[in-house]
Amino acid sequence: MSAHAATAHDSPEVHAEHHDDGKFHVFVQIAMILAVITGIEIVLIYLPLAKWLIVSSLVLLSVVKFLMVIFWFMHLKFDKIFCTILFFIGLILSGGTVAALMLLFGAKDSVPLTAQTIYAEQAAENE
Amino acid sequence: MSAHAGTIDHHHDHTTVTGIPNKKLFMWAFLASDCMFFGALISSHVIYRLHPVPNATDPLKVFSLELTSFSTFILLMSSLLMALAVGASQKGKIEATRKMLLGTIFFGLIFLGCQVYEFTHFVHLGMTLKSDVFGSTFYTLTGTHGIHVAIGVLWLVFMYIRTFKPADASKAWVARAFTQFLAFAVATVTIMFLMLEVTHAGAEHGYSLASITGALTHTPLAAVSTTAFALSIALLFVLGRFKQPVDFGEANAIDVESMGLYWHFVDIVWIVIFTVVYLLEYL
């Protein structure tokens, strides 16, 4: 390879162009992976597997899709760590609120009294 | 602005002491707070699903997994186009930025169209905002998400129109921008109306060329809408042929990027809603 060709290949413009092309392909590949994961999720609900296994798989696949979008499409992977910390503060607070509410309202005592009466009536009718 | 070796250079932007541009930092803080907003709505829906009232709507009798899956796919692909629009704007490629923005707007409108159809269908089946608790929490959650998508589409339209601002400040462009916005608004409203007409006609008479063309012309309102849609699209095409130098380039990439963050956020919220509200009902 000539010196001129080597210089042209290593120039910042060419490097940036290659980097941008690489990013384009990564974005397209991620979009295809997201589409495939969505397809897997839809198929999964019809498979004769244990309910806990399907629910766990759906949650896991959703988390994978979520992380792929925020780290690649939303550029968190390329940005300063502060952006990730800031967003995850909101995400953790949100997740914590969801978990707390689920536990709170999942308790037996949280079932409204009117609903308890209705459920008891329904159980009696079924017997 | 260009990206080298995996980092983003923000030399055009006003940055905070963190080194992150103001607009981007604001958007991340806003999205973090919006997470909590959606967290509250999602948990409300799930809690009431865990304590169903008697004679409530059976989700499986009203949901259409095919339609929702299609909407999900469309929103994911719109995210791809948005990411490409951000990339193009960072490289100063205005034509590519416009095309990607238009693609994102188009996909966003398809998603909204699907939601309009879904809501209309559910109301037709008797599930309304106040029919039962399931209806209340479902419409509140998915409707709030839909409003976010609609705001995103509006923002995308404004950004698309902004790319046409002439470099020569003495040239008037407000009237032209307003015309462009009006054309977008007319095209959006008429296509939503026509889509509902076509789907209702298709449901009644089957989907064929005759039923579709019949739906587009069978009433004066449908005929006017079809004409208005065609004219507004033609107007947008003509206005989109603007070839003069514009005041839009790499310096505006941060605006496109901030908008992109919002759009992707709408996408990740839907990823959660699709699993929690729709898929889990089928188990």
Side-chain angles (χ1 to χ4, degrees), chain B:
Chain B
M1 190 185 299
S2 59
H4 296 290
T7 57
I8 295 171
D9 173 21
H10 293 294
H11 60 275
H12 288 293
D13 316 315
H14 300 289
T15 56
T16 58
V17 288
T18 57
I20 302 164
N22 287 321
K23 290 175 182 174
K24 187 188 272 191
L25 194 62
F26 162 77
M27 188 47 69
W28 277 114
F30 166 71
L31 298 181
S33 69
D34 223 17
C35 276
M36 291 181 265
F37 181 56
F38 275 105
L41 291 176
I42 290 169
S43 46
S44 300
H45 179 78
V46 174
I47 285 163
Y48 283 115
R49 285 301 297 142
L50 293 175
H51 298 299
V53 292
N55 306 319
T57 308
D58 181 2
L60 294 183
K61 287 184 179 166
V62 293
F63 282 176
S64 166
L65 192 59
E66 295 85 353
L67 180 72
T68 317
S69 306
F70 174 70
S71 303
T72 307
F73 178 76
I74 286 293
L75 206 57
L76 287 172
M77 292 307 110
S78 78
S79 260
L80 169 65
L81 293 179
M82 188 70 245
L84 296 180
V86 172
S89 69
Q90 286 172 344
K91 284 177 268 178
K93 294 181 178 174
I94 297 171
E95 275 301 312
T97 306
R98 283 177 186 157
K99 283 174 186 165
M100 293 303 147
L101 287 177
L102 274 180
T104 315
I105 292 168
F106 181 64
F107 277 31
L109 286 176
I110 293 177
F111 179 85
L112 283 176
C114 289
Q115 199 161 37
V116 167
Y117 173 75
E118 186 186 45
F119 283 12
T120 313
H121 182 62
F122 289 174
V123 169
H124 187 67
L125 292 173
M127 191 179 107
T128 63
L129 191 63
K130 55 184 180 181
S131 60
D132 54 42
V133 176
F134 174 74
S136 302
T137 56
F138 174 83
Y139 284 121
T140 307
L141 174 57
T142 56
T144 305
H145 177 266
I147 289 169
H148 273 70
V149 177
I151 291 170
V153 170
L154 193 65
W155 194 353
L156 284 160
V157 169
F158 284 145
M159 188 60 73
Y160 174 77
I161 294 171
R162 172 67 183 79
T163 63
F164 289 96
K165 185 181 179 185
D168 184 357
S170 63
K171 288 191 176 176
W173 75 293
V174 175
R176 176 199 175 84
F178 183 73
T179 310
Q180 241 172 338
F181 179 73
L182 205 63
F184 266 113
V186 171
T188 304
V189 172
T190 50
I191 194 63
M192 291 286 172
F193 172 73
L194 292 172
M195 190 201 67
L196 284 176
E197 289 288 302
V198 168
T199 46
H200 288 153
E204 280 182 28
H205 311 294
Y207 288 97
S208 63
L209 190 61
S211 74
I212 291 171
T213 49
L216 297 178
T217 53
H218 78 294
T219 62
L221 187 59
V224 168
S225 298
T226 308
T227 312
F229 177 72
L231 286 175
S232 55
I233 291 295
L235 186 60
L236 282 174
F237 182 76
V238 171
L239 292 173
R241 307 292 291 171
F242 187 72
K243 292 292 180 193
Q244 292 173 15
V246 290
D247 177 24
F248 191 92
E250 291 178 52
N252 302 93
I254 189 64
D255 300 326
V256 182
E257 194 180 344
S258 300
M259 186 181 64
L261 290 177
Y262 176 83
W263 190 260
H264 295 309
F265 177 77
V266 167
D267 186 24
I268 57 173
V269 170
W270 186 255
I271 286 173
V272 178
I273 291 177
F274 179 61
T275 301
V276 173
V277 177
Y278 291 91
L279 290 181
L280 290 180
E281 293 289 351
Y282 288 82
L283 299 181

Side-chain angles (χ1 to χ4, degrees), chain A residues 20 42 62 79 94 105 118-119, chain B residues 24 35 51-52 54 69 91 275:
Chain A
D20 290 336
I42 295 162
S62 295
D79 271 332
S94 172
F105 285 90
I118 293 165
Y119 293 157
Chain B
K24 187 188 272 191
C35 276
H51 298 299
S69 306
K91 284 177 268 178
T275 301

Side-chain angles (χ1 to χ4, degrees), chain A residues 31-94:
Chain A
M32 294 304 112
I33 292 169
L34 292 171
V36 169
I37 291 176
T38 306
I40 293 170
E41 285 179 331
I42 295 162
V43 171
L44 207 56
I45 58 173
Y46 293 109
L47 292 180
L49 298 171
K51 196 173 173 179
W52 67 266
L53 185 61
I54 298 176
V55 172
S56 309
S57 307
L58 286 175
V59 170
L60 183 71
L61 290 172
S62 295
V63 169
V64 170
K65 280 164 70 179
F66 190 97
L67 294 176
M68 286 180 94
V69 172
I70 64 168
F71 278 104
W72 272 274
F73 282 171
M74 294 173 88
H75 281 190
L76 272 187
K77 189 175 182 289
F78 311 105
D79 271 332
K80 289 185 185 293
I81 190 74
F82 187 79
C83 293
T84 309
I85 294 168
L86 185 62
F87 185 63
F88 271 75
I89 288 172
L91 207 56
I92 290 165
L93 281 172
S94 172

